Amino acid sequence: MTDLQRVFTYLRTLAEIEPSDLAGIEGRYRTETFSAKDVIFSEGDHYVKVAFILKGLVKKYYVTHEGRKFIKEFTWENQITTPYASLLQNIPATYSLEAIEDTTLLTIDYAVIDGLIRSHPKWLAIGKALADYHFLNREAREME
């Protein structure tokens, strides 16, 4: 299975799409690898990519003014991660992303995805499905 097929399989669990719907991202993504403990981006960085985890495990964390480290969440293979709130507000990331184990990401600039969402109804459905999925997960975690 190709990297793009893995992305399609994931997105297909969230929205009704066809393989041809991913044509807009072909050739516009890249593969990035990180070793365990590598920081992919840090709090305060302007990270402007959407990352699909092909292999590995990452953690999102932030450090308080007192120096205490808090883990926001873990994200693993076949999931998407990005500092979404920071992208929407065009502000620096409010947390850091670190590889817990050797990790391979398929990344694409958020501007590409945003352009597709603004110009293709199918991508608008994909974007809404992703936002809904992450909102529901966050709500469930907060209830725990």
Side-chain angles (χ1 to χ4, degrees):
M1 181 180 292
T2 69
D3 294 344
L4 201 52
Q5 287 171 326
R6 287 179 63 186
V7 172
F8 171 76
T9 299
Y10 170 73
L11 293 175
R12 184 74 187 235
T13 66
L14 303 173
E16 291 187 28
I17 61 170
E18 300 300 324
S20 61
D21 294 323
L22 297 188
I25 64 171
E26 285 182 335
R28 301 173 88 176
Y29 60 85
R30 66 177 169 259
T31 303
E32 300 180 37
T33 58
F34 300 89
S35 298
K37 300 193 182 213
D38 281 353
V39 175
I40 298 164
F41 65 80
S42 297
E43 187 174 341
D45 289 350
H46 279 276
Y47 188 81
V48 295
K49 301 175 196 171
V50 176
F52 180 81
I53 303 173
L54 294 169
K55 178 185 132 213
L57 176 67
V58 299
K59 68 179 175 184
K60 297 175 184 179
Y61 69 91
Y62 64 94
V63 180
T64 67
H65 296 296
E66 297 81 29
R68 295 183 57 199
K69 189 177 195 177
F70 284 93
I71 296 174
K72 287 177 50 77
E73 74 179 340
F74 297 96
T75 310
W76 48 88
E77 291 177 11
N78 299 315
Q79 291 189 325
I80 290 176
T81 188
T82 189
Y84 190 53
S86 299
L87 290 173
L88 292 177
Q89 299 173 70
N90 194 29
I91 61 172
T94 57
Y95 59 84
S96 298
L97 185 70
E98 180 182 319
I100 295 176
E101 56 189 35
D102 292 348
T103 298
T104 304
L105 304 177
L106 187 141
T107 63
I108 189 166
D109 288 341
Y110 175 70
V112 172
I113 301 298
D114 190 48
L116 290 168
I117 287 170
R118 292 175 186 276
S119 60
H120 298 287
K122 191 67 83 153
W123 274 95
L124 181 59
I126 292 168
K128 182 183 181 322
L130 280 167
D132 291 352
Y133 173 78
H134 288 284
F135 172 79
L136 292 172
N137 279 344
R138 177 170 304 273
E139 185 113 327
R141 279 196 314 276
E142 288 172 357
M143 293 304 293
E144 290 174 357

